Amino acid sequence: MQVLTSLTGFPEWLPAGQLVEQRVLAHLCRVFELHGFGPLDTRHVEPLARLSRGGEVEKELYAVVRHQGPSDAVAKLGLHFDLTVPFARYVDENAGRLPFPFKRYQTQKVWRGERPQDGRYREFRQVDIDVVGQGELPSHFESELPAVMAEALAGLPLPPLRMRLNNRELAEGFFEAIDVAEPVTALRAIDKLDRHGPTVVEDELLAAGLSASQAQLCLGLAAITTPDGSFVERVRALGVQGDRLDAGLAQLALVLGDLQALAPGLAEADLGVARGLDYYTGTVYETLMVGHEALGSVCSGGRYDDLVGGAKKYPGVGLSLGLTRLLARLLGDDSLAVSRPTPTCVLVALPDDARRRDCRALAQALRARGIPADVAPTASKYGKQIKHAEARGIPYVWFPGDDGASDEVKDLRSGTQVPADAASWEPAAGDRTVELALPQG
Amino acid sequence: MQVLTSLTGFPEWLPAGQLVEQRVLAHLCRVFELHGFGPLDTRHVEPLARLSRGGEVEKELYAVVRHQGPSDAVAKLGLHFDLTVPFARYVDENAGRLPFPFKRYQTQKVWRGERPQDGRYREFRQVDIDVVGQGELPSHFESELPAVMAEALAGLPLPPLRMRLNNRELAEGFFEAIDVAEPVTALRAIDKLDRHGPTVVEDELLAAGLSASQAQLCLGLAAITTPDGSFVERVRALGVQGDRLDAGLAQLALVLGDLQALAPGLAEADLGVARGLDYYTGTVYETLMVGHEALGSVCSGGRYDDLVGGAKKYPGVGLSLGLTRLLARLLGDDSLAVSRPTPTCVLVALPDDARRRDCRALAQALRARGIPADVAPTASKYGKQIKHAEARGIPYVWFPGDDGASDEVKDLRSGTQVPADAASWEPAAGDRTVELALPQG
């Protein structure tokens, strides 16, 4: 299915894709609520002063200004570029009225003035879950939170996911132990490993002032990927030692072990994950979709020491799913679809205009039992009404009986037509409402 | 419950209010889908050229510009101020791939730079339904569409609604018949009738150049309100005649009669409804909430000849519910609430940290049966864990059994504690998930 981009960077979907997104969101939110996360919807604008903290993101901000007339007397505003900044502001403003640990999900659009390219959009939907404590947050949430997201995604007909974990203490502890002065520069080089390979990364590390042996150790660390706690031994085998490194190794082993119990086969330690290590303060997460690795991480996050940045600490852990990017890919190659492109299950045929009220009553009787129904818009010939249903993927046409004759219902796929009563008829399993479907063929 | 406005004109809700809005939206969308309306989510920005068509709205537009760096090479953009403009653009761009009559619902935020005041916001959510035809649209949709919205709203614990109908042909036909040169000016005066009374309106009509007898006839028309088709006789009694007036009277009588059958007691003809008569081309709708009349119309719309405005005609009929304004009022005076302020139904108590995995398994067994559950964040004393549940309105605490003893579950409201099995225990009716509740007391 085509992704509509009449304005570059601002994707939209055709009606079937709209239903896909609606069903995906409903499913995700249902699972989040089962785990005690409540909905949060914040305003879409924030004062620019809150949004701009320097760095790359500053260049991507969209400001919101009055087109004509006087400027608002309020602070200068911009569109939020993620859901963390408005969440932090909401927690900060309402902390006295929120229950901690506070668990919320949030599924709004965000805006970034990026150069549009494959899988990068200027307006896109994120699906975030976070749990944030006041003063402290037990570390068991670092495994529970990704398990919730994984459970939610596992309930969708998606390719399997592989979550990669790293830890900031581990990485920085390692760099400290081998005397790398500028860990941020080293991390930026290592971040290119997947796309450019070790030779390019080594050159960059050397250019950044690392010695040949330091560069080799960094590449050695970044190459370590294990599905279990054996990464600890592999780091030890590099011959690097340090207290901070030890603390990071222990914490990552704990989180990974716990996550293995919660979501077997999901996660692995990948000490080459560098993205987010400048922002998060503990565990970091990245998630690849098997077969779509080139798309990059579809779901990232981590543990942070302080959401708000004030005198009172609000430590948390969060994950953000890039839903628009994911859907654009899966709708684009038809690997995610709905069982039909319309909510309607039954089209009630209209014999003639005088019977519209009877036909409405029939449709209403079906709706009262949760069966989406519509009455044909005009009393055209039945053949044309059937074509009307077929053209929009409505599976059943209902023919009202006349002069005491029973109503009949026709399954347009099989062609079977049977007598039916609107008070008791049941559509075939899976036909009642539109659902997500596995791809055809 | 307080409406949060840390930024004037940009309201937000506390967690319980968030659940209210989520449940209201889920309910409305479910009813819309039962009637064959599919979801639509458009981008939030449109080219300014498409948004600005002169008039009042121009002054309220918010433009979206890059905060730094080069301007986008795309058209100058603005935030949409309603859901009709993006819907029209979407239909225009995708007409060849849409089924007509095309029925969609749309529930996004919109932005208007109005001076904030009671019930007026700068960012607010609208809930729109429209049905739009290609070339033609049968007039039965003019009664079916408001019946769908009324059915959706009737399923919510809201005060009763009173829908007022008027018709543009009727009004303009009347003005024509009595030789009023500037019907728009007259309508603008009549629009003030509810707020300022007939004396003010009469003065304004006279100031606009109407004769005393013309002004009296206008006030006579505007005073006509009938629950049935008797408005036709009352217009006739004014002694005004005309073909266009007759056509309008007949059309409004038809729509009102049909709507009475679909939604008894909902609608009335109110020939004083003036808003929207400059924009819509047939029936117009306004909806007051009984007891909250000062809030103005919470749901307005009408029939239009052409959604898109090109060579091909796309006639339609639509209604727009001002959800934020409605919720701000009903949350503000606590007349709309949820059964509890959290999704969580059961808090599984944690005897000690070593049993966290057992407790997770218990919670997961409950979730697998659709019961939202959470494990206590820390293994504090049971009294403290019970307080934790009470503080967030979780109705049940689950105590895992030890050494072969049965689990027990305590209902915090009654204090009753009974043995329970996570594979079969059922919460009391209405406790499983958060639902909208009638106000307490």
Side-chain angles (χ1 to χ4, degrees):
Chain A
M1 184 192 308
Q2 199 179 333
V3 175
L4 309 171
T5 50
S6 64
L7 190 62
T8 309
F10 294 84
E12 295 179 322
W13 324 125
L14 284 170
Q18 301 277 350
L19 278 164
V20 168
E21 180 161 11
Q22 203 280 338
R23 295 303 189 259
V24 166
L25 281 169
H27 167 80
L28 295 176
C29 297
R30 197 186 70 87
V31 176
F32 298 152
E33 291 201 8
L34 280 172
H35 285 267
F37 291 78
L40 181 66
D41 202 85
T42 56
R43 63 183 194 233
H44 289 68
V45 302
E46 296 294 334
L48 277 169
R50 198 178 272 273
L51 293 170
S52 50
R53 301 270 191 228
E56 281 303 301
V57 83
E58 183 109 17
K59 295 184 199 143
E60 299 180 350
L61 283 182
Y62 282 112
V64 171
V65 296
R66 292 291 285 275
H67 178 47
Q68 290 186 350
S71 292
D72 287 352
V74 294
K76 289 184 173 177
L77 301 176
L79 293 171
H80 56 218
F81 59 85
D82 71 4
L83 301 177
T84 306
V85 171
F87 174 52
R89 191 258 315 149
Y90 180 90
V91 168
D92 191 22
E93 287 175 355
N94 303 298
R97 290 172 289 189
L98 300 177
F100 290 96
F102 180 52
K103 298 165 82 173
R104 78 87 174 83
Y105 65 85
Q106 193 167 353
T107 68
Q108 291 170 256
K109 295 274 187 76
V110 306
W111 289 267
R112 293 185 195 176
E114 295 197 82
R115 205 165 58 84
Q117 48 185 310
D118 185 40
R120 297 275 169 185
Y121 297 109
R122 288 175 169 174
E123 174 178 307
F124 54 99
R125 190 182 302 284
Q126 290 194 325
V127 175
D128 280 27
I129 51 174
D130 280 82
V131 52
V132 67
Q134 197 169 33
E136 56 172 8
L137 186 80
S139 80
H140 59 80
F141 287 113
E142 287 172 57
S143 42
E144 285 168 359
L145 194 97
V148 171
M149 183 64 91
E151 179 185 330
L153 291 169
L156 298 170
L158 298 178
L161 299 173
R162 221 178 68 224
M163 190 176 277
R164 312 199 287 194
L165 269 57
N166 200 357
N167 180 287
R168 179 169 176 171
E169 290 295 294
L170 191 165
E172 292 200 344
F174 187 88
F175 292 134
E176 264 180 33
I178 64 169
D179 285 324
V180 170
E182 298 266 14
V184 173
T185 316
L187 285 171
R188 206 167 289 154
I190 289 168
D191 188 37
K192 298 178 180 162
L193 199 56
D194 272 357
R195 279 166 296 149
H196 300 290
T199 315
V200 169
V201 173
E202 184 175 12
D203 288 350
E204 207 162 304
L205 289 170
L206 295 173
L210 273 70
S211 71
S213 68
Q214 282 175 322
Q216 278 309 314
L217 285 168
C218 287
L219 285 171
L221 181 77
I224 294 173
T225 306
T226 66
D228 53 28
S230 60
F231 68 90
V232 177
E233 291 157 43
R234 294 202 34 206
V235 174
R236 300 256 182 262
L238 294 174
V240 179
Q241 296 278 351
D243 289 348
R244 196 169 169 203
L245 173 59
D246 285 352
L249 287 168
Q251 178 62 16
L252 184 56
L254 187 75
V255 170
L256 183 62
D258 201 23
L259 189 48
Q260 282 170 324
L262 284 163
L266 169 73
E268 61 187 23
D270 185 337
L271 308 191
V273 170
R275 196 71 61 87
L277 286 183
D278 51 341
Y279 174 72
Y280 295 108
T281 55
T283 315
V284 295
Y285 316 94
E286 273 192 7
T287 314
L288 297 179
M289 204 163 60
V290 174
H292 300 266
E293 288 80 1
L295 200 56
S297 175
V298 296
C299 183
S300 306
R303 159 97 194 202
Y304 40 86
D305 270 349
D306 187 15
L307 179 70
V308 169
K312 226 173 201 168
K313 294 291 175 208
Y314 293 92
V317 53
L319 269 171
S320 179
L321 174 72
L323 186 63
T324 300
R325 189 197 295 190
L326 191 75
L327 289 181
R329 169 63 65 107
L330 299 176
L331 293 174
D333 68 5
D334 291 315
S335 60
L336 191 58
V338 269
S339 51
R340 59 178 183 257
T342 172
T344 308
C345 176
V346 177
L347 181 76
V348 177
L350 183 64
D352 57 70
D353 280 323
R355 294 191 61 192
R356 181 168 295 281
R357 287 193 185 179
D358 300 346
C359 291
R360 282 176 180 164
L362 276 172
Q364 199 64 3
L366 293 168
R367 293 177 195 129
R369 298 193 297 111
I371 301 169
D374 222 337
V375 178
T378 56
S380 50
K381 287 190 178 148
Y382 272 178
K384 209 172 159 191
Q385 295 190 39
I386 290 170
K387 283 210 176 71
H388 175 96
E390 278 171 344
R392 54 205 72 204
I394 300 171
Y396 299 95
V397 176
W398 193 279
F399 300 101
D402 207 356
D403 287 333
S406 165
D407 296 352
E408 299 204 340
V409 64
K410 184 187 187 84
D411 182 331
L412 294 185
R413 296 152 303 183
S414 65
T416 314
Q417 186 165 332
V418 295
D421 181 341
S424 59
W425 174 80
E426 283 293 327
D431 275 349
R432 179 177 286 257
T433 53
V434 198
E435 303 297 342
L436 291 171
L438 288 165
Q440 304 271 313
Chain B
M1 186 191 305
Q2 197 179 337
V3 175
L4 310 171
T5 50
S6 64
L7 191 60
T8 309
F10 294 84
E12 296 180 321
W13 325 125
L14 285 170
Q18 300 278 348
L19 278 165
V20 168
E21 179 161 13
Q22 204 279 338
R23 293 304 189 259
V24 166
L25 282 170
H27 167 80
L28 295 175
C29 296
R30 197 186 71 86
V31 176
F32 298 152
E33 292 202 8
L34 281 172
H35 286 268
F37 292 78
L40 181 66
D41 201 87
T42 57
R43 63 184 193 230
H44 289 68
V45 301
E46 297 293 335
L48 276 170
R50 198 179 271 275
L51 293 171
S52 50
R53 301 268 191 230
E56 280 304 300
V57 81
E58 183 109 16
K59 295 184 199 143
E60 299 180 351
L61 284 182
Y62 281 112
V64 172
V65 297
R66 292 291 286 275
H67 178 48
Q68 290 187 348
S71 292
D72 286 354
V74 294
K76 288 183 176 178
L77 301 176
L79 293 172
H80 55 219
F81 59 84
D82 71 5
L83 301 178
T84 306
V85 170
F87 175 51
R89 192 258 316 149
Y90 180 89
V91 168
D92 192 22
E93 286 176 355
N94 303 298
R97 290 172 290 191
L98 300 177
F100 291 97
F102 181 52
K103 297 165 81 173
R104 76 90 174 80
Y105 65 86
Q106 193 166 352
T107 67
Q108 292 170 256
K109 295 274 186 81
V110 305
W111 289 266
R112 293 184 195 175
E114 296 195 81
R115 204 164 59 82
Q117 48 186 310
D118 185 38
R120 297 274 169 187
Y121 297 109
R122 291 175 167 174
E123 174 178 305
F124 55 99
R125 190 181 302 284
Q126 290 194 326
V127 175
D128 279 28
I129 53 175
D130 280 83
V131 52
V132 68
Q134 198 170 34
E136 56 172 9
L137 186 80
S139 80
H140 59 79
F141 287 113
E142 288 172 57
S143 42
E144 287 169 358
L145 196 95
V148 171
M149 184 63 91
E151 179 186 330
L153 291 170
L156 297 171
L158 298 179
L161 299 174
R162 218 177 70 221
M163 191 176 278
R164 313 198 287 192
L165 269 56
N166 199 357
N167 181 287
R168 179 169 177 170
E169 290 296 294
L170 191 164
E172 293 201 344
F174 188 88
F175 292 132
E176 263 180 33
I178 64 168
D179 285 323
V180 169
E182 299 265 14
V184 173
T185 316
L187 286 170
R188 207 165 290 154
I190 290 169
D191 188 37
K192 297 179 181 161
L193 199 54
D194 273 357
R195 276 165 298 148
H196 301 291
T199 315
V200 170
V201 173
E202 185 175 12
D203 289 348
E204 204 161 310
L205 290 169
L206 295 173
L210 273 69
S211 70
S213 68
Q214 283 175 321
Q216 278 309 315
L217 285 168
C218 287
L219 285 171
L221 181 78
I224 295 174
T225 306
T226 67
D228 53 29
S230 60
F231 67 90
V232 177
E233 292 157 43
R234 293 197 41 201
V235 174
R236 299 256 182 262
L238 294 174
V240 180
Q241 296 279 348
D243 290 349
R244 196 169 170 203
L245 173 60
D246 285 352
L249 287 168
Q251 178 61 16
L252 184 56
L254 188 75
V255 171
L256 183 61
D258 201 23
L259 189 48
Q260 282 171 324
L262 283 163
L266 170 71
E268 62 187 21
D270 185 337
L271 309 191
V273 170
R275 196 70 61 88
L277 286 182
D278 52 339
Y279 175 73
Y280 296 108
T281 58
T283 315
V284 295
Y285 316 95
E286 273 191 9
T287 314
L288 297 180
M289 204 162 62
V290 174
H292 300 266
E293 287 80 2
L295 200 56
S297 176
V298 295
C299 183
S300 306
R303 159 98 192 200
Y304 41 86
D305 271 348
D306 188 14
L307 179 69
V308 168
K312 228 172 199 167
K313 295 290 175 209
Y314 294 92
V317 53
L319 270 171
S320 180
L321 173 74
L323 186 64
T324 300
R325 190 196 296 190
L326 192 74
L327 289 181
R329 169 63 65 110
L330 298 176
L331 293 174
D333 68 6
D334 292 316
S335 61
L336 190 58
V338 270
S339 51
R340 59 177 182 257
T342 170
T344 307
C345 175
V346 177
L347 181 76
V348 177
L350 183 64
D352 56 72
D353 280 321
R355 294 191 62 192
R356 181 167 294 281
R357 287 192 186 182
D358 299 345
C359 291
R360 282 176 180 164
L362 276 171
Q364 198 65 4
L366 293 168
R367 294 177 193 130
R369 299 192 299 111
I371 301 167
D374 223 336
V375 178
T378 54
S380 48
K381 285 189 179 149
Y382 272 178
K384 207 172 161 193
Q385 296 189 40
I386 290 170
K387 283 212 176 69
H388 175 98
E390 277 171 344
R392 57 205 70 202
I394 300 172
Y396 299 95
V397 176
W398 193 280
F399 300 100
D402 206 358
D403 288 331
S406 165
D407 295 354
E408 298 204 340
V409 64
K410 183 186 187 86
D411 182 331
L412 294 185
R413 295 151 304 183
S414 65
T416 315
Q417 185 165 333
V418 293
D421 180 340
S424 59
W425 174 80
E426 283 294 328
D431 275 348
R432 179 177 287 257
T433 52
V434 197
E435 304 297 343
L436 290 170
L438 287 165
Q440 303 269 315

